[in-house]
Amino acid sequence: MVEWITSPGLTDFRTAEAWMEARATAIAAGEAEECIWLLEHPPLYTAGTSAKAADLTDPDRFDVFETRRGGQYTYHGPGQRVAYTLLDVGKRGRDVRAFVQQLEAWVIATLDTFNVRGEIRPGRVGVWVQRPEKPPLPDGTCAEDKIAAIGIRLRKWVSFHGLSINVEPDLSHFDGIVPCGIRDHGVTSLVDLGLPVTIDDVDVALKTTFNQVFER
């Protein structure tokens, strides 16, 4: 059984982090069920274990939190659905790479319910969409924007942190960082792509597609 928790309003990041650590410990001890926690944060930047100082281009814009999740700098804020995935990877195959691929597949399946084709790229963490309406890149390839970020941490084979999907955040808030260290591509959202999608719509899609990816 996986418990689903949805928090209204905006959740303080350090409060969320402390709750995840306690829940992950309880799951590892067999004292709590796995869970997916859906929430939004106030505007902030987080630094993963691979973050480079030069990629924080506007350090005074929002609060910056160092974390021990994988990845580099990421933005969180209103209009972005964060899905923290507290799952027992040890019981789900004990394969971290396969688990991350499942998270990517979950995002892609969720986007597909809105007729958005999400794709992954070697060397670029997260999920991307092609933007043929934009000027091509200098090498002639199609422009691509990031629509979802992924970054996890494990404790005794239980995952926490997770993923975020841009529904309708203020995209200018990403300007204070180099998202995930990638300078050659932009950031987009479902609403930026012209879709009248709400956070609630994305929640329904996440719940519908979860079993397709994780329970098959």
Side-chain angles (χ1 to χ4, degrees):
M1 292 289 296
V2 175
E3 179 184 8
W4 288 80
I5 302 170
T6 303
S7 293
L10 303 178
T11 302
D12 173 77
F13 181 77
R14 286 301 187 209
T15 299
E17 194 172 50
W19 187 92
M20 285 192 289
E21 291 189 1
R23 181 65 177 247
T25 298
I27 293 170
E31 299 169 353
E33 294 177 344
E34 298 176 303
C35 74
I36 305 294
W37 187 14
L38 304 177
L39 53 80
E40 292 174 86
H41 286 304
L44 57 90
Y45 300 129
T46 66
T49 54
S50 301
K52 299 175 179 142
D55 289 342
L56 181 62
T57 58
D58 191 354
D60 299 321
R61 187 165 190 180
F62 300 123
D63 288 337
V64 181
F65 297 94
E66 292 188 0
T67 77
R68 285 177 281 180
R69 63 155 174 82
Q72 302 187 43
Y73 279 105
T74 299
Y75 167 76
H76 291 313
Q80 181 189 70
R81 176 46 92 209
V82 174
Y84 285 137
T85 54
L86 291 97
L87 299 175
D88 191 334
V89 180
K91 292 181 178 177
R92 292 173 175 271
R94 217 174 179 88
D95 186 330
V96 178
R97 180 173 295 183
F99 178 68
V100 171
Q101 290 172 343
Q102 285 182 306
L103 293 176
E104 294 169 339
W106 185 26
V107 172
I108 290 170
T110 298
L111 296 175
D112 187 59
T113 65
F114 305 109
N115 295 315
V116 172
R117 182 179 178 182
E119 301 177 311
I120 57 174
R121 294 288 182 264
R124 281 195 261 143
V125 179
V127 178
W128 301 79
V129 294
Q130 294 192 2
R131 303 299 303 273
E133 73 278 13
K134 289 187 173 184
L137 298 175
D139 63 1
T141 58
C142 184
E144 296 180 337
D145 287 341
K146 189 171 189 174
I147 196 167
I150 295 172
I152 65 165
R153 184 181 165 199
L154 294 180
R155 171 173 291 172
K156 295 183 178 178
W157 286 101
V158 175
S159 68
F160 54 114
H161 294 282
L163 60 90
S164 59
I165 298 175
N166 297 332
V167 183
E168 192 179 7
D170 185 336
L171 295 178
S172 71
H173 288 181
F174 287 87
D175 295 344
I177 58 172
V178 179
C180 298
I182 298 167
R183 298 177 182 273
D184 299 332
H185 301 278
V187 180
T188 191
S189 69
L190 288 166
V191 171
D192 182 52
L193 293 174
L195 300 169
V197 177
T198 68
I199 290 280
D200 289 343
D201 295 331
V202 171
D203 288 352
V204 171
L206 284 166
K207 291 175 182 178
T208 300
T209 57
F210 179 83
N211 286 343
Q212 298 172 13
V213 175
F214 286 95
E215 304 300 341
R216 60 190 177 189

